[in-house]
Amino acid sequence: MKILLLAMPDAANNFHRIIKVPNLGLCSIAAHLKLHEVKVVDLVLVHRNIQTWLQRFLHEFRPDVVGISSMSFQYESALRVMSICRARLPQAKLVLGGYHATLSYRELTCGTPPFDFLVRGEGEQSFPALLEALDGQRSFFDVPGLSWARYGSFIHNPTAPLLDLDRLPLPNRSARVLDGFTYFDRKLDCAETSRGCTMTCTFCSITGMYGTSFRCHRVERVIEDLKELQQRGTRTVLLVDDNITLDSRRFTGLARAIVEHGLNGMEYLVQASVAGMVADPELIPALARANFAMVFLGIESVLPQNLAFFQKGDIREKTERAVRLLREHGIGVMGGFIIGNPDDGPEEIREVFRASRRLAIDLPYVQCVTPYPGTRIREELLEAGLVTNPDRLSRYTGFMCNVKTKRLSTGQLNRIMNWENLKAFCSPSMFIGNYFVRKREKGGLKVLLNNLDLIRGFFTGDQFRSRHRF
């Protein structure tokens, strides 16, 4: 069969001038489809005139099955894409998968959904099994994690056990139709070294996808994958692990292996927990030697009451130590913060921005708490009557407020957050001594253009919304 796997065009938070990220999961699924002709399309690289481009591609390739991966904030685009596919190829089977499908499958299968099948959980096992069922080789009842229509209603098969990562082949990146992913104009690709997280942060949807599990690829397998990326001319590697620092000693060992195999000619980007980053004193020096250029730290808050609300524990001292050590070793720090918590007022929000300056964060990444489907915080905020937009998920980017607090309306919250963001992004410290400006060719220009987007969004109310066009 001919299989088309589509990633949605919505660029998360729309830092499109700085970074364009591929969908690694679809390449991982493609690696399991050796008996089929498979193509992967990341629509984030089409960006403009998506409908015309997709119609032309569908006419040329004519897939039998179209798999569509979607996050919650991308589902509006997924509906458009499914409509285009259905109109152009009415006989093709449409399959929805990804986080949103997994966490909201009951709501999505009510009525007459626009897709034929929905796959929950990890697609590497379920999607090939679905193709076997479509080919008459097995029953639809035997496809794990499949939601499918029978006699006018949807049946939801039990999900499969979590995959043994040791059995996964390397991703099939050669299946990509488009390949122009960049980070500050350097060729970028993604790699995975682990999946899952054992932490129970209330705002996160990872546990809804994998439970409280943590599974690791063998370091040898990761090195093999990185060697393939090096051969493909990759210059920047984004490690997409959910929480790579759950085993900080393993991470230290991986960084050393990168150096031992001569793979530190590529630079690396990673997201990490504060506690994990300082758990092993050898980790940060090893990351510096391995050419880790940037670490996104999940700081979340500097206020004890909000750290307790997120179930993060009191990590304030560890935060200061992690940022200081990263900067001392020449590694850029992107600090993730969340505001808009139930008891937040103007002063609590301003304190987050003041703290980012005290900590000397290179790039503060301050988002409003977002009630993503499948998270515990969504249920808590809905019960408290603090969610002001429960349904329009395209606004769930993190930079557009969809909640109120006990002291601030949604509008007030949005204005304070974006005014403080404007001051932070347009301050001299954003351009003088900043890692992302100092270490990047054209970095200052790109940060400036990004700031102009922020100013425009301040007046239009759609801060950093993806600029793709159908």
Side-chain angles (χ1 to χ4, degrees):
M1 285 190 282
K2 288 185 174 183
I3 312 299
L4 174 61
L5 302 177
L6 289 171
M8 294 303 96
D10 312 67
N13 306 320
N14 203 41
F15 288 99
H16 62 278
R17 291 188 182 89
I18 295 173
I19 190 168
K20 297 181 179 69
V21 181
N23 187 309
L24 184 64
L26 293 183
C27 293
S28 185
I29 293 173
H32 291 74
L33 307 180
K34 298 184 185 301
L35 300 179
H36 305 275
E37 183 180 357
V38 56
K39 295 185 183 295
V40 174
V41 172
D42 286 270
L43 291 173
V44 70
L45 293 182
V46 179
H47 203 60
R48 294 286 191 269
N49 301 317
I50 295 169
Q51 179 169 332
T52 300
W53 188 95
L54 184 56
Q55 287 174 333
R56 182 171 61 249
F57 183 80
L58 291 169
H59 176 73
E60 294 170 355
F61 183 50
R62 305 195 68 79
D64 302 296
V65 178
V66 180
I68 295 144
S69 178
S70 172
M71 302 286 282
S72 295
F73 75 97
Q74 298 173 321
Y75 189 61
E76 188 174 300
S77 292
L79 291 173
R80 292 287 302 274
V81 166
M82 286 187 280
S83 176
I84 294 167
C85 293
R86 187 70 80 195
R88 178 62 66 172
L89 295 174
Q91 300 306 313
K93 299 299 183 184
L94 304 185
V95 185
L96 181 70
Y99 273 84
H100 189 56
T102 299
L103 299 175
S104 303
Y105 69 96
R106 293 196 182 277
E107 296 88 339
L108 294 175
T109 53
C110 289
T112 307
F115 47 81
D116 299 293
F117 302 97
L118 182 149
V119 171
R120 311 188 312 278
E122 296 172 297
E124 290 97 341
Q125 182 175 350
S126 298
F127 192 78
L130 171 59
L131 298 184
E132 291 179 1
L134 289 171
D135 213 20
Q137 299 177 40
R138 68 161 71 193
S139 166
F140 288 113
F141 285 104
D142 296 331
V143 179
L146 181 68
S147 295
W148 54 291
R150 189 167 188 256
Y151 303 135
S153 61
F154 266 75
I155 294 173
H156 305 293
N157 294 353
T159 55
L162 293 176
L163 292 168
D164 178 359
L165 298 190
D166 281 343
R167 301 179 63 183
L168 294 186
L170 294 181
N172 179 10
R173 299 180 180 90
S174 298
R176 289 176 182 153
V177 174
L178 305 170
D179 194 10
F181 307 101
T182 54
Y183 174 66
F184 282 106
D185 296 330
R186 296 165 62 95
K187 182 177 173 61
L188 173 138
D189 214 319
C190 295
E192 175 188 72
T193 88
S194 66
R195 288 184 189 178
C197 181
T198 59
M199 299 175 71
T200 57
C201 303
T202 57
F203 55 84
C204 185
S205 57
I206 296 297
T207 53
M209 190 77 173
Y210 302 124
T212 52
S213 67
F214 181 61
R215 294 164 293 152
C216 298
H217 292 288
R218 290 176 294 105
V219 169
E220 294 80 9
R221 192 260 194 193
V222 177
I223 293 300
E224 184 183 358
D225 198 24
L226 295 179
K227 287 180 177 178
E228 179 181 298
L229 292 182
Q230 187 180 59
Q231 292 169 1
R232 294 172 64 89
T234 303
R235 299 179 64 194
T236 302
V237 180
L238 172 63
L239 299 182
V240 295
D241 299 41
D242 302 307
N243 192 349
I244 196 170
T245 45
L246 278 176
D247 188 342
S248 56
R249 289 187 177 179
R250 172 185 174 273
F251 193 16
T252 301
L254 174 60
R256 289 171 176 160
I258 287 172
V259 176
E260 290 168 6
H261 289 270
L263 295 166
N264 54 331
M266 299 184 292
E267 66 176 0
Y268 297 86
L269 319 175
V270 68
Q271 63 177 358
S273 70
V274 166
M277 186 54 63
V278 296
D280 180 3
E282 298 297 319
L283 175 57
I284 292 177
L287 295 182
R289 290 190 292 271
N291 198 19
F292 274 72
M294 186 275 286
V295 171
F296 179 99
L297 276 181
I299 299 170
E300 320 314 353
S301 184
V302 292
L303 302 172
Q305 67 270 25
N306 287 340
L307 287 169
F309 179 64
F310 294 142
Q311 295 189 3
K312 292 284 290 187
D314 192 347
I315 57 172
R316 289 174 293 172
E317 185 275 330
K318 292 178 180 178
T319 295
E320 293 181 9
R321 183 153 41 107
V323 174
R324 175 175 52 80
L325 289 171
L326 286 167
R327 290 182 62 85
E328 286 177 358
H329 285 83
I331 300 173
V333 181
M334 195 171 178
F337 299 89
I338 301 175
I339 58 93
N341 306 297
D343 293 319
D344 276 0
E347 183 58 25
E348 285 77 11
I349 295 171
R350 295 187 183 107
E351 175 57 23
V352 167
F353 286 90
R354 286 195 293 265
S356 75
R357 291 192 290 272
R358 288 197 305 270
L359 290 165
I361 299 288
D362 290 291
L363 182 60
Y365 193 84
V366 182
Q367 296 183 292
C368 187
V369 63
T370 302
Y372 294 111
T375 60
R376 285 183 295 140
I377 207 167
R378 179 180 177 87
E379 301 307 317
E380 292 175 16
L381 293 175
L382 282 170
E383 186 176 345
L386 297 177
V387 178
T388 56
N389 170 31
D391 302 316
R392 193 181 171 193
L393 301 181
S394 63
R395 295 184 65 84
Y396 277 33
T397 65
F399 285 99
M400 291 182 273
C401 298
N402 299 280
V403 300
K404 60 183 179 179
T405 75
K406 297 173 183 176
R407 300 159 61 190
L408 295 169
S409 68
T410 301
Q412 291 170 326
L413 185 58
N414 217 56
R415 284 190 294 275
I416 294 170
M417 181 182 75
N418 288 299
W419 176 243
E420 294 298 325
N421 260 323
L422 273 176
K423 291 195 298 183
F425 275 77
C426 297
S427 68
S429 63
M430 186 55 65
F431 297 91
I432 301 172
N434 184 283
Y435 176 90
F436 295 96
V437 175
R438 187 177 72 252
K439 293 284 188 177
R440 298 288 144 193
E441 183 182 354
K442 301 179 182 177
L445 175 62
K446 290 182 180 294
V447 171
L448 177 61
L449 291 173
N450 206 65
N451 292 353
L452 293 176
D453 262 353
L454 180 60
I455 293 170
R456 184 205 53 75
F458 179 76
F459 292 102
T460 60
D462 62 348
Q463 299 78 9
F464 288 117
R465 190 172 187 181
S466 185
R467 298 283 171 259
H468 67 276
R469 294 287 183 271
F470 277 93

